[in-house]
Amino acid sequence: MEWYYYLLIVLVGVFSGFLNTLAGSGSIISLAMLMFMGLPANIANGTNRIAILMQNIVGVSSFKKQKVFTFKEGIWLAIPAIIGSVIGASLAVEINEEMMEKTIGGLLVFLFFIVLYKPDAWVKGQAGLVRSKPSIWQIVIFFFIGLYGGFIQAGVGFFLLAGLVLGAGFDLVKANAIKVFIVLLYTPFAIGVFIMNGQIDYKIGFILAAGNMIGAYIAANFAVSWGAKFVRYILLGVIVFASLKFLGVYEMIGLF
């Protein structure tokens, strides 16, 4: 591999880590780049998890240092997500993802309008709904979010933010921090499944991770210093980008 490929991997990792931590769907960029370099889709999917794990270690550390959240606020929602992620990763090593991508693209379009037309719910949160322990409905929701995250990861941040803000009542900045914490907890379990099936390129994974960690550090500080409104604007933009990707629009016009 030429030297400039390594530089490209790091730069893409920075951008991907920034988007993943601040809103979501940065993995669409990193997965596209890995497949462009010749990695099969399943290997790219597994390899990307190394970067996700490392970026979220940095993100959680930064959010925690800034006292944005406590571990107790996310642990109960992380448990069903972990269980779902193991099942999702097990499916990912065998199942074709094309149909799921189209479905997720449609869901992201729906999510875009929720964020656009209910700004108060995203910026201010729903403090009255915050509970010390999740309801049965929330457990089910986060199980399926974990299922999707284990399967492909790209775009899971949107669903975690929706569940944490609209379902659990957190404001968007805190939801961002808890989102990163939940992904950090379930990712090692998903990685274990990919390792057992030999679907990780460790060298490329750790190079990508270096960039993701830098991006995550920058994003964690942006999210707190710029506030929930800034995060919402970034979220809207990335949702548009992600939904077009999942719906196959870029492929139709010859991009990605």
Side-chain angles (χ1 to χ4, degrees):
M1 186 184 299
E2 299 291 340
W3 66 268
Y4 52 82
Y5 275 104
Y6 296 114
L7 178 60
L8 176 63
I9 293 171
V10 173
L11 292 177
V12 169
V14 172
F15 187 52
S16 175
F18 182 87
L19 289 181
N20 278 334
T21 305
L22 195 58
S25 206
S27 289
I28 291 177
I29 306 298
S30 55
L31 284 173
M33 183 268 298
L34 292 174
M35 288 186 283
F36 170 77
M37 293 174 55
L39 288 183
N42 57 344
I43 303 295
N45 191 14
T47 300
N48 187 56
R49 307 310 174 102
I50 299 293
I52 296 297
L53 176 64
M54 302 305 291
Q55 108 192 346
N56 286 337
I57 290 174
V58 173
V60 167
S61 176
S62 296
F63 281 127
K64 194 70 173 67
K65 186 179 296 184
Q66 297 175 80
K67 299 180 180 179
V68 179
F69 80 111
T70 63
F71 291 144
K72 186 172 68 172
E73 290 176 305
I75 192 65
W76 289 107
L77 297 174
I79 293 173
I82 290 172
I83 296 172
S85 72
V86 173
I87 298 173
S90 299
L91 294 173
V93 298
E94 299 179 2
I95 294 180
N96 186 291
E97 65 203 44
E98 183 177 356
M99 185 57 67
M100 179 175 282
E101 286 189 352
K102 299 297 186 296
T103 302
I104 295 303
L107 290 173
L108 286 176
V109 172
F110 175 70
L111 183 58
F112 172 85
F113 288 104
I114 291 179
V115 179
L116 183 65
Y117 290 111
K118 292 188 177 181
D120 289 341
W122 288 92
V123 176
K124 298 179 182 178
Q126 302 179 55
L129 292 180
V130 176
R131 304 177 182 180
S132 59
K133 292 184 181 181
S135 65
I136 296 299
W137 178 239
Q138 289 170 342
I139 290 174
V140 171
I141 289 175
F142 280 85
F143 167 80
F144 281 104
I145 291 174
L147 182 72
Y148 173 71
F151 185 85
I152 195 172
Q153 179 64 33
V156 72
F158 298 138
F159 301 110
L160 281 170
L161 288 175
L164 289 166
V165 175
L166 302 179
F170 294 107
D171 69 81
L172 191 51
V173 172
K174 178 170 285 192
N176 244 318
I178 296 176
K179 173 203 73 178
V180 174
F181 178 55
I182 291 174
V183 175
L184 173 62
L185 292 183
Y186 79 61
T187 297
F189 295 90
I191 287 177
V193 176
F194 287 106
I195 289 175
M196 288 188 294
N197 287 273
Q199 296 188 357
I200 293 180
D201 185 314
Y202 295 98
K203 181 179 180 180
I204 293 178
F206 281 107
I207 294 173
L208 180 64
N212 277 54
M213 292 168 72
I214 296 171
Y217 178 79
I218 296 171
N221 287 278
F222 267 68
V224 175
S225 62
W226 287 39
K229 288 186 178 180
F230 172 74
V231 176
R232 175 174 167 263
Y233 295 142
I234 293 294
L235 183 62
L236 286 169
V238 178
I239 285 177
V240 172
F241 174 85
S243 59
L244 293 176
K245 168 61 180 175
F246 280 125
L247 291 171
V249 175
Y250 299 133
E251 288 81 356
M252 288 191 296
I253 61 177
L255 296 176
F256 297 103

